[in-house]
Amino acid sequence: QKEVEQDPGPLSVPEGAIVSLNCTYSNSAFQYFMWYRQYSRKGPELLMYTYSSGNKEDGRFTAQVDKSSKYISLFIRDSQPSDSATYLCAMSRSGGSNYKLTFGKGTLLTVNP
Amino acid sequence: DVKVTQSSRYLVKRTGEKVFLECVQDMDHENMFWYRQDPGLGLRLIYFSYDVKMKEKGDIPEGYSVSREKKERFSLILESASTNQTSMYLCAIQGNTEAFFGQGTRLTVV
């Protein structure tokens, strides 16, 4: 079983839809969880960061972590064509910059006007 | 704002050439990483460095080496480029937990 599993999509939705992106993981030591957005031919940019279980909201974006189920989600409300990108989940075991991140393979999202 | 700058956006090199990919950061972070990204395979860690002159192998170091002579600069070296090294190369620095990426170098080996 891979450490982090992410459905690659592609996912295509109409503008204004609510989008749900998900990752599952197997390593219970993961405590820090991130979502990155990557536009075509660009480097990933950090979108959301959460620690342990719970929710975090930032504008139209909500990140959820359920450590008991080893499941993380990113919700996008009122999706826009500018949200079209690949979304990568990432996680690490502990704080401190010595720990490598483990990434999902990314989900390609297209929001159609 | 965190800035991670990769020297080239696009490169085309010939098989057998020695290739240098440069990465510079302006945040004084100790930790720097090189990844490659391929369709269906995601991000794979090639090498990383925790400090000047220190390096650690990642998951796919074969065919690559690195150099870190100054804290702000981390170079990835393809000793003898091969077509299977055609890829998107991403440099990153890591803060307390999250990583910040450069814009990527799309390398094509012909």
Side-chain angles (χ1 to χ4, degrees):
Chain A
Q1 182 185 8
K2 293 193 191 324
E3 272 200 302
V4 179
E5 300 268 13
Q6 183 175 8
D7 187 337
L11 185 60
S12 181
V13 302
E15 184 175 353
I18 296 174
V19 176
S20 172
L21 304 166
N22 312 293
C23 288
T24 59
Y25 62 95
S26 58
N27 188 343
S28 57
F30 287 138
Q31 296 189 66
Y32 295 83
F33 304 91
M34 285 134 274
W35 285 96
Y36 287 83
R37 178 177 61 197
Q38 185 176 21
Y39 292 115
S40 181
R41 304 182 193 279
K42 299 284 179 66
E45 56 177 331
L46 181 66
L47 199 57
M48 300 279 287
Y49 152 67
T50 53
Y51 168 69
S52 196
S53 285
N55 293 359
K56 186 173 185 179
E57 190 172 320
D58 183 2
R60 296 184 294 108
F61 298 89
T62 299
Q64 281 187 354
V65 175
D66 182 348
K67 288 189 71 180
S68 62
S69 302
K70 298 190 181 68
Y71 188 87
I72 70 171
S73 300
L74 178 71
F75 297 96
I76 307 173
R77 290 184 299 281
D78 187 24
S79 56
Q80 303 295 308
S82 58
D83 296 328
S84 298
T86 296
Y87 290 81
L88 299 140
C89 63
M91 46 201 80
S92 69
R93 288 178 295 155
S94 182
S97 52
N98 284 344
Y99 289 96
K100 295 178 287 181
L101 299 183
T102 302
F103 288 88
K105 292 184 178 179
T107 300
L108 177 61
L109 170 67
T110 301
V111 181
N112 301 297
Chain B
D1 271 0
V2 175
K3 197 153 188 180
V4 181
T5 303
Q6 295 182 228
S7 54
S8 304
R9 290 293 308 278
Y10 300 95
L11 274 179
V12 180
K13 296 293 181 180
R14 294 194 180 278
T15 301
E17 275 194 77
K18 190 168 186 176
V19 181
F20 293 85
L21 303 182
E22 306 284 343
C23 176
V24 177
Q25 54 122 343
D26 67 352
M27 290 301 293
D28 202 35
H29 278 291
E30 285 82 15
N31 304 318
M32 298 186 75
F33 299 77
W34 275 106
Y35 294 87
R36 64 177 284 179
Q37 187 178 32
D38 301 285
L41 297 177
L43 281 163
R44 293 182 290 168
L45 182 62
I46 305 171
Y47 266 99
F48 57 104
S49 169
Y50 288 144
D51 203 348
V52 175
K53 297 194 186 294
M54 294 184 69
K55 59 184 179 184
E56 297 275 350
K57 291 180 180 179
D59 300 318
I60 52 161
E62 297 79 20
Y64 303 95
S65 62
V66 290
S67 172
R68 191 152 180 214
E69 297 296 319
K70 293 185 179 181
K71 192 175 186 180
E72 68 271 17
R73 187 180 296 271
F74 190 35
S75 302
L76 179 69
I77 303 157
L78 285 66
E79 297 291 343
S80 178
S82 63
T83 54
N84 63 12
Q85 292 178 310
T86 291
S87 186
M88 173 73 140
Y89 289 88
L90 290 159
C91 174
I93 61 173
Q94 186 156 324
N96 195 39
T97 48
E98 66 273 26
F100 299 94
F101 288 86
Q103 76 275 31
T105 297
R106 169 72 62 181
L107 172 67
T108 302
V109 182
V110 297

